[in-house]
Amino acid sequence: MTVSTTALTLIVVAATLMATLTPILLLALFIRDWKKGCLW
Amino acid sequence: MNGLDAPILPSSIAWGLLIAFSILWVALGWWLGRHNKTAEDHMLAGRNVGMALATATAMATWVTANTTMTAPQLALQLGVWGMLGYSLGALGLILFAPLARRIRELMPRGFTSGDFIRLRFGTFTWRVFLVVSLIYAFGWLVSMAMAGGVLINALAGIDYRVGMTVILTVCVIYTLLGGLRAVIGTDFIQTIIIIAGAAFIAWLTIDKVGFEAIHFNLMEERPELLSLLFPAAIMFLFNNLLFGVGEIFHSNVWWSRAFAFGRNVGFRAYLLGGLLWLPIPIVAGFIALATPALGINVPAADMVGPLVAAEVLGLTGAIVVFIVVFAALASSLDSLLAATSDLVTRDIYRGHIRPQASEQSQFRATKVIVVLLGLLTWLAASYRGSLPIIGSLAELLYFTGAFVASAIWPIVAGLYWQRANPQGAAWSMILGSGVGLASYFLIGFYVAALVGAAVSLAVMVLSTWLAPRPFDWDRLARDDVQPKGSPA
């Protein structure tokens, strides 16, 4: 029982997409916290 | 040392990157910590860390050199299950989310995990916990320093001891200057560098090689890596899961953050941090599956990540890997230095040597202890291979597995089980560690954590069932955990 090309593609693309969006999400959170004055 | 014929990055470029990032981290550490006036500022960054910085520091600390270098190695050795199994390390962060909320609620003025164990279970259990916790913390510190030296040597050919000394010195300096505020601030930038770098390499590998070619070549040359019924990989998955949970539940690295995060931030930050951490080992690990398609001969499994990056991207890939590895090492080393120095300051210096120590003397002591910890770590990492235990990174980490896993149940019972027996908590750690270590030497490294956790659970449950000891939760908030001698 092996992983198909489609399954491998789905797993890796989903993970890479999520990792690509993570820095953007963190920066958005940072800006939100900064504007609200609650970074620290 | 790594089995490679030549480093993938010219040492002149590596030195330039080392110097540039060292200056950046130290300058940031000084700038972020310039307003620290008390031990509480230095150790807990003002106790009001917001969601963005809290999430990033949870992620950065859990992304170690192991994540960036070992994930590709595991994908190469254990296939799809290897990278998926490693990503389950995220469960440690996710499961700690409710514990972080509980810790903040029960002890709004707490400082360390030791504070909790002392108040919850008494002096004897506290001392046992300190031994377990400090052995683990020191083991992790030394393994990270060793990883720094090994990786810098492998990537750029810089002498092991020189590379290890540089990275350790930089982390000691900025932790010393800025305390937890510097650690968390630099962690934010390091998280972005690590994740963006890993995603960049993954996208380019996908673009250059493609899934069809990767899958076809794997089926031809290494079909077992695509198998869903790979027994060794499935065993690894459970072992890794348990080890990760044990590491996070007991370590002051995670407790100090639970105390430092603002009200209602801890639960959400650990949960989001865990969810965002989940794909990182897959992203970092997947590129190893491209080696058959790229026709790369891998002389040392733990160097597969840099090799693929250099093959796909050339010099740019080598530079990206070097920066990512440096950021991953620094983000874990600084956290460990800060959290371990807090534990030693609060629980050894104030708890055992100078109970009347003022806030200011604790502030000074924390700084001295960071330097001493750095020196001790340097000494141990300098003589790797010469000491009986400190042989390799893996040996060292697995050795601490028994200690780590034996602390899971005393922590969980202490936080949630009102009748948990304090003596039982101590003996569950002693017997769990002892039997776990015996199994490490008698059976194999892969069972130490499992046996340690099983014995610890049995002792904790049995002792509480035979002799329950009711506890008043309010005691944790009521009892004075502020440094003695400081204003009320």
Side-chain angles (χ1 to χ4, degrees), chain A residues 1-3 18-20 33 39-40, chain B residues 48 50 52 195 203 215 226 228:
Chain A
M1 192 178 177
T2 55
V3 179
M18 210 170 145
T20 307
D33 284 356
L39 265 182
W40 297 99
Chain B
N48 199 29
I195 301 170
W203 282 125
H215 196 272
L226 292 171
L228 289 174

Side-chain angles (χ1 to χ4, degrees), chain B residues 150-190:
Chain B
V150 170
L151 293 175
I152 289 172
N153 173 261
L155 293 170
I158 294 171
D159 180 68
Y160 162 80
R161 202 172 288 191
V162 173
M164 184 270 291
T165 306
V166 169
I167 191 161
L168 192 56
T169 306
V170 168
C171 290
V172 166
I173 292 174
Y174 77 77
T175 308
L176 187 70
L177 290 172
L180 189 61
R181 209 178 278 266
V183 170
I184 290 176
T186 51
D187 274 358
F188 185 82
I189 299 168
Q190 286 156 357

Side-chain angles (χ1 to χ4, degrees), chain B residues 230-406:
Chain B
F230 196 165
I234 295 169
M235 276 178 65
F236 160 77
L237 190 145
F238 287 105
N239 194 56
N240 198 49
L241 179 67
L242 197 64
F243 193 56
V245 170
E247 279 182 283
I248 291 185
F249 276 26
H250 93 283
S251 170
N252 194 51
V253 167
W254 310 100
W255 280 71
S256 65
R257 281 162 173 72
F259 292 125
F261 294 169
R263 277 179 68 86
N264 304 318
V265 169
F267 177 83
R268 289 181 295 133
Y270 275 110
L271 184 63
L272 183 61
L275 291 172
L276 295 178
W277 192 92
L278 201 65
I280 297 173
I282 298 173
V283 173
F286 134 81
I287 59 170
L289 298 179
T291 49
L294 288 167
I296 298 174
N297 177 34
V298 183
D302 57 352
M303 289 306 294
V304 63
L307 277 174
V308 174
E311 176 71 24
V312 173
L313 288 163
L315 184 62
T316 313
I319 290 172
V320 172
V321 168
F322 190 85
I323 294 171
V324 166
V325 166
F326 189 24
L329 282 163
S331 67
S332 299
L333 256 176
D334 60 4
S335 299
L336 263 167
L337 280 167
T340 311
S341 72
D342 292 355
L343 196 67
V344 174
T345 304
R346 289 284 303 181
D347 296 87
I348 304 291
Y349 174 71
R350 175 186 177 269
H352 288 86
I353 300 168
R354 285 190 62 193
Q356 301 303 322
S358 68
E359 175 102 355
Q360 278 310 307
S361 65
Q362 285 184 74
F363 188 26
R364 284 192 298 273
T366 309
K367 296 191 167 197
V368 173
I369 289 164
V370 168
V371 176
L372 288 176
L373 271 175
L375 278 172
L376 274 175
T377 305
W378 182 85
L379 274 175
S382 292
Y383 294 98
R384 73 193 184 103
S386 311
L387 298 175
I389 295 169
I390 306 169
S392 72
L393 292 178
E395 284 169 23
L396 187 58
L397 276 176
Y398 284 121
F399 183 81
T400 62
F403 296 95
V404 163
S406 73

Side-chain angles (χ1 to χ4, degrees), chain B residues 129-154:
Chain B
F129 175 79
L130 285 178
V131 171
V132 167
S133 200
L134 290 173
I135 287 175
Y136 164 76
F138 192 63
W140 194 14
L141 260 176
V142 175
S143 79
M144 282 295 104
M146 282 165 59
V150 170
L151 293 175
I152 289 172
N153 173 261

